[in-house]
Amino acid sequence: MITDGYTAYVPIIEKLQMTHQKCVFHKMMNQRTPVWKTTNKLERQLKNKENKLKETEEKIQQLEKLSKGQKPGPIPLKDKKRRKNKENLKKKKQEKTKLKKEIKEINKKLGEYEYYNNKISEIFTYIYSSDMILFFR
């Protein structure tokens, strides 16, 4: 008897003295589910990081506009506004670098999980090929 693997079927199948096989489709889905969940989580993280990167780049542009037209060189101690803008610009540029690195890492992980998902598909495609169908009958 072929089932979806629900545990309540086991005693019934044993009582009927039948052999039990789990449906190949359900086996495939059980293998893919953790991959899909992780992929979805990574895609959400990626989207959030990309949105944050966009906001950070906009803030950098705003801060750079404020500093245009000012004298180059050291900022006087009395000019607290310029000093604060310069500090904020430095922090935002560091944040941008960090976000780009995180996005790159997430994309790498997504590529790995896409590879896993494709391998699972290949395995079950092979099972459904004409040679293997005879094996499962």
Side-chain angles (χ1 to χ4, degrees):
M1 177 171 287
I2 298 174
T3 69
D4 60 0
Y6 185 57
T7 55
Y9 298 146
V10 175
I12 298 167
I13 294 169
E14 287 174 357
K15 189 175 183 178
L16 296 172
Q17 297 178 347
M18 300 178 86
T19 57
H20 182 225
Q21 179 182 331
K22 191 172 178 184
C23 170
V24 175
F25 174 78
H26 284 89
K27 283 185 179 183
M28 179 178 66
M29 294 306 292
N30 289 344
Q31 294 297 314
R32 282 184 156 180
T33 300
V35 174
W36 287 338
K37 285 182 179 181
T38 304
T39 300
N40 288 339
K41 181 180 176 183
L42 288 170
E43 286 173 347
R44 286 191 308 272
Q45 288 176 357
L46 180 63
K47 186 175 181 180
N48 289 336
K49 298 283 183 193
E50 287 173 340
N51 288 339
K52 194 168 184 176
L53 178 63
K54 185 178 177 183
E55 291 170 8
T56 302
E57 288 173 338
E58 289 171 359
K59 185 67 176 174
I60 288 172
Q61 286 179 345
Q62 290 173 354
L63 291 170
E64 285 176 340
K65 280 182 184 178
L66 290 175
S67 64
K68 277 192 177 176
Q70 296 176 353
K71 291 187 234 175
I75 301 170
L77 291 173
K78 292 180 181 179
D79 199 347
K80 292 180 181 179
K81 190 174 182 180
R82 270 182 66 195
R83 285 186 172 277
K84 188 172 182 178
N85 284 344
K86 187 175 181 178
E87 280 181 33
N88 286 340
L89 183 60
K90 184 178 177 180
K91 286 179 186 177
K92 289 296 177 184
K93 285 182 177 182
Q94 289 171 343
E95 185 179 333
K96 178 182 174 181
T97 303
K98 182 182 173 187
L99 285 168
K100 283 186 171 186
K101 183 179 177 184
E102 290 171 352
I103 288 170
K104 187 176 179 179
E105 289 172 9
I106 291 171
N107 278 322
K108 182 180 176 183
K109 287 179 185 177
L110 277 170
E112 290 172 6
Y113 279 96
E114 185 177 328
Y115 172 80
Y116 299 148
N117 194 35
N118 289 339
K119 285 298 174 187
I120 293 168
S121 294
E122 287 177 18
I123 290 167
F124 286 97
T125 301
Y126 177 72
I127 289 172
Y128 279 116
S129 71
S130 58
D131 296 337
M132 289 302 290
I133 289 176
L134 296 173
F135 174 76
F136 278 101
R137 285 188 181 170

